[in-house]
């Protein structure tokens, strides 16, 4: 019994930061409420530049790679760098909370999605599924853009990752850029959403990662 207690203490000390994932219990109910509430009455986000960006279904590949990219990056820090995990979590969840607040007080949406597809292939089929699962509302700022930039910033701020995984780091840069572009080429976001996501990522980065510009969240000061 004593051995079991000691093992539990070791696991808690090593992986006690798992509590951070409880944020999902705040985010998901709030987001789902917004999805069900913001349906018809909302401010339409649009930029003249949106009209010059063609729909391209092939960008569905990097768009969907966003999910494993964010998950794998979080898990990388969870298992290898507790301080880095707290910093990335603070970065992600701060922006996600701001997104929820903006969507609550400023309901917004898009009218960019094509009504008819010029082609019929497996990529278009995947886009149709995305359109069915994801409403064209609650888009400002783009979390696809913000979270991608946050994940890449976290990896770039990790000397260990950059040193030990140089090729993977370069791949993540290409993937991040591709994900940002995919949001516009799939008509999931306006240029306005993308710019807002970039601006928010830049501002919050200053508080979480850049020393001397402000106090980082207490969670980010945790040591391994």
């Amino acid at each position: 019994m004593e051995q079991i207690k000691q093992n539990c203490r070791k696991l808690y000390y090593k992986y006690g930061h798992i509590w951070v994932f409880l944020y999902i219990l705040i985010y998901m109910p709030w987001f789902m409420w917004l999805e069900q509430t913001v349906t018809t009455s909302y401010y339409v986000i649009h930029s003249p530049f949106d009209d010059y960006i063609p729909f391209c279904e092939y960008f569905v590949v990097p768009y969907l790679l966003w999910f494993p990219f964010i998950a794998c990056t979080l898990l990388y820090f969870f298992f290898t760098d507790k301080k880095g995990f707290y910093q990335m979590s603070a970065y992600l969840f701060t922006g996600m909370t701001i997104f929820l607040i903006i969507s609550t007080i400023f309901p917004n949406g898009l009218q960019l999605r094509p009504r008819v597809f010029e082609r019929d292939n497996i990529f278009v089929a995947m886009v149709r599924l995305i359109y069915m699962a994801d409403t064209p509302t609650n888009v400002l700022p783009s979390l696809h853009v913000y979270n991608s930039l946050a994940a890449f910033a976290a990896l770039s701020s990790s000397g260990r990752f950059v040193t030990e995984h140089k090729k993977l780091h370069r791949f993540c840069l290409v993937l991040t850029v591709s994900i940002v572009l995919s949001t516009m080429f799939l008509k999931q976001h306006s240029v306005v959403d993308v710019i807002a996501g970039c601006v928010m990522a830049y501002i919050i980065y200053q508080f979480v990662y850049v020393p001397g510009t402000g106090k980082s969240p207490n969670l980010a000061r945790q040591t391994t």
Side-chain angles (χ1 to χ4, degrees):
M1 181 61 70
E2 185 61 30
Q3 184 63 39
I4 295 177
K5 290 182 179 179
Q6 290 180 0
N7 291 336
C8 289
R9 291 194 192 98
K10 290 180 181 178
L11 285 174
Y12 177 78
Y13 177 77
K14 190 173 183 179
Y15 299 118
H17 49 297
I18 195 172
W19 69 268
V20 172
F21 289 115
L22 291 175
Y23 175 76
I24 198 69
L25 299 180
I26 298 174
Y27 178 81
M28 284 308 298
W30 194 344
F31 178 73
M32 294 306 298
W33 176 80
L34 287 170
E35 287 287 276
Q36 296 172 7
T37 304
V38 183
T39 55
T40 56
S41 180
Y42 54 80
Y43 182 83
V44 177
I45 305 297
H46 183 266
S47 165
F49 295 105
D50 297 328
D51 302 328
Y52 293 97
I53 301 175
F55 170 82
C56 181
E57 68 271 22
Y58 303 112
F59 274 96
V60 72
V61 176
Y63 186 86
L64 291 177
L65 286 176
W66 175 83
F67 297 95
F69 177 46
I70 302 303
C72 289
T73 304
L74 263 177
L75 290 176
Y76 169 78
F77 284 106
F78 179 82
F79 288 111
T80 65
D81 183 355
K82 186 185 294 186
K83 179 181 177 181
F85 173 76
Y86 277 127
Q87 284 184 299
M88 182 180 175
S89 297
Y91 196 3
L92 285 177
F93 300 160
T94 299
M96 291 165 69
T97 302
I98 292 174
F99 158 78
L100 292 173
I101 294 172
I102 292 175
S103 298
T104 301
I105 64 178
F106 180 63
N108 56 83
L110 299 172
Q111 295 180 354
L112 296 176
R113 292 179 175 181
R115 297 183 179 180
V116 179
F117 295 99
E118 297 180 359
R119 295 171 293 278
D120 188 14
N121 52 49
I122 188 172
F123 301 103
V124 170
M126 288 191 289
V127 173
R128 286 197 177 101
L129 290 176
I130 292 174
Y131 284 1
M132 290 174 58
D134 186 18
T135 67
T137 57
N138 309 310
V139 296
L140 179 73
S142 168
L143 279 191
H144 246 69
V145 170
Y146 176 82
N147 285 355
S148 298
L149 293 175
F152 182 72
L155 293 173
S156 299
S157 299
S158 170
R160 176 179 178 181
F161 180 83
V162 174
T163 302
E164 297 180 358
H165 308 284
K166 293 181 179 180
K167 291 184 178 179
L168 184 56
H169 182 242
R170 288 193 289 268
F171 170 78
C172 289
L173 172 60
V174 175
L175 178 59
T176 299
V177 173
S178 299
I179 292 173
V180 171
L181 293 175
S182 74
T183 63
M184 295 177 286
F185 280 97
L186 292 184
K187 300 302 179 179
Q188 281 288 84
H189 285 284
S190 164
V191 172
V192 177
D193 308 328
V194 172
I195 293 175
C198 292
V199 171
M200 187 168 72
Y202 174 79
I203 293 174
I204 298 177
Y205 177 85
Q206 307 305 311
F207 292 93
V208 179
Y209 287 102
V210 179
T213 58
K215 294 182 178 180
S216 299
N218 290 332
L219 294 180
R221 297 198 198 102
Q222 298 287 335
T223 57
T224 54

